[in-house]
Amino acid sequence: MTKKVLVLGEVREGALRNVSFEAIAAGKKVSGGGEVVGLLVGDAVQSLGNEMISYGADRVVTVEHPHLKTYTSDGYSQAFMAVYEQEKPDAVVFGHTALGKDLSPKIASKLQSGLVSDVTSIDGEGDSAVFVRPIFSGKAFEKVKIKDGINFFTIRPNNIEPLAKEEGKTGDVQSVSAEITNLRTVIKEVVRKSTEGVDLSEAKVIVAGGRGVKSEEGFEPLKELANVLGGAVGASRGACDADYCDYSLQIGQTGKVVTPDLYIAAGISGAIQHLAGMSNSKIIVAINKDPEANIFKVADYGIVGDLFEVIPMLTEEFKKL
Ligand code: FAD
């Protein structure tokens, strides 16, 4: 049986996040040849509708309201429910992002439905779709099949390939009105820490530093390499605890979970809690002075050496490409 799948597009600072396009690709598989409907929620999102269509959504519905400019679970739940009542989808896809992790369980429980979270791949299509998700901090994978009810699931960024973009494709973008009332929280202003460069959770390349980086200044060569590779800088908790960098860079069990194409770990020992956040990266390069460091057990390429010598050498070589 084919399914109607609703896919939430995530908007940040006026642009769609990449995970939205990955979610459309996931929605296509789950639909089994049915319909994929994009959903955009915000204060001015109508203009982004056609971008979802160019990535494979069959049509898009939008809910716009001044109180939806910034995410609140109350406001987004009300917007979602208005669309849900109109569309009655068989399945719903969210990104496994801060927003998706907050909103999806709330709505799934309201609709008395199950939720498969943190999906990294989908085997099969339509009714026979099987969702694969890591468990025990990535040490094992669980395969989940939903027998009945609405299928809610969240997909981990950077794991499901988006469909090829059809440049210039346009389609049906329809606005749905929703009453956004009795909000317990109204966000007046968001003050962001200055975020330079690429978003860590969506980065294709991450250069991460640990306590071996030794100081805040020690991160400079890592930033330079990340710049040359068009990537982001990450860190172990060891480096964050030592105040060498901000906690927003922390990767691991209690930090961000990332799956870039290339993860360069410099001066990181490879504690189990760190591996929980990065061991599913496609290629791992470890740089460590200690040949016995645990990080080498998960590395595809290991360089035994001083990161302050190795990183600048890599940067110079990559600059030549
Ligand atoms: P260290 O273990 O001190 O390793 C530093 C490494 O740098 C060493 O291997 C050393 O050989 C190498 N080195 C030193 N100088 C150089 C140099 N010049 N060149 C090359 N290599 C050099 N950790 C996380 O990362 N993320 C988490 O989310 C996380 N969550 C946790 C949750 C809990 C409940 C607990 C208990 C711990 C958690 N930790 C987490 C902490 C974790 O256990 C480790 O303490 C931490 O990851 C160690 O950080 P590190 O590898 O940078 O430091």
Side-chain angles (χ1 to χ4, degrees), residues 55-214:
Y55 274 98
D58 295 302
R59 60 189 174 85
V60 172
V61 288
T62 64
V63 184
E64 292 181 309
H65 192 284
H67 286 336
L68 298 172
K69 179 173 183 186
T70 308
Y71 173 76
T72 59
S73 60
D74 269 2
Y76 268 53
S77 299
Q78 291 177 24
F80 179 91
M81 289 310 293
V83 173
Y84 175 81
E85 290 305 329
Q86 173 181 302
E87 297 291 338
K88 292 277 189 299
D90 304 303
V92 182
V93 192
F94 297 87
H96 195 69
T97 57
L99 187 158
K101 282 189 266 187
D102 186 59
L103 186 63
S104 59
K106 182 170 178 155
I107 293 172
S109 66
K110 195 180 177 86
L111 294 170
Q112 302 267 296
S113 173
L115 165 69
V116 187
S117 67
D118 204 13
V119 171
T120 52
S121 66
I122 301 167
D123 298 337
E125 293 201 351
D127 280 340
S128 31
V130 174
F131 303 102
V132 182
R133 59 188 296 271
I135 52 171
F136 302 125
S137 299
K139 287 199 257 338
F141 287 87
E142 180 180 54
K143 291 188 168 186
V144 185
K145 195 163 188 303
I146 301 175
K147 285 190 179 155
D148 42 37
I150 314 157
N151 301 190
F152 274 85
F153 58 103
T154 63
I155 57 152
R156 187 184 282 196
N158 264 350
N159 279 264
I160 295 171
E161 207 40 47
L163 303 172
K165 185 176 187 184
E166 287 185 58
E167 285 299 342
K169 189 172 179 197
T170 56
D172 178 7
V173 182
Q174 183 207 352
S175 152
V176 173
S177 65
E179 273 198 43
I180 310 295
T181 51
N182 298 325
L183 296 183
R184 281 174 291 187
T185 318
V186 174
I187 297 181
K188 301 269 188 201
E189 190 189 1
V190 177
V191 181
R192 289 192 195 282
K193 285 188 179 172
S194 63
T195 45
E196 295 165 23
V198 184
D199 178 353
L200 194 56
S201 56
E202 295 199 333
K204 297 285 179 203
V205 176
I206 294 176
V207 183
R211 220 173 339 231
V213 167
K214 293 191 177 70

Side-chain angles (χ1 to χ4, degrees), residues 218-248:
F219 265 93
E220 289 307 319
L222 279 70
K223 284 184 189 164
E224 205 185 332
L225 177 57
N227 272 343
V228 170
L229 295 171
V233 173
S236 70
R237 178 155 144 192
C240 301
D241 283 346
D243 224 5
Y244 302 160
C245 61
D246 191 83
Y247 278 102
S248 60

Side-chain angles (χ1 to χ4, degrees), residues 211 214 236-237 250-251 253-254 267 269 273-274 288 307:
R211 220 173 339 231
K214 293 191 177 70
S236 70
R237 178 155 144 192
Q250 184 185 322
I251 291 164
Q253 190 181 315
T254 45
S269 58
Q273 296 90 352
H274 186 76
N288 200 302
L307 70 94

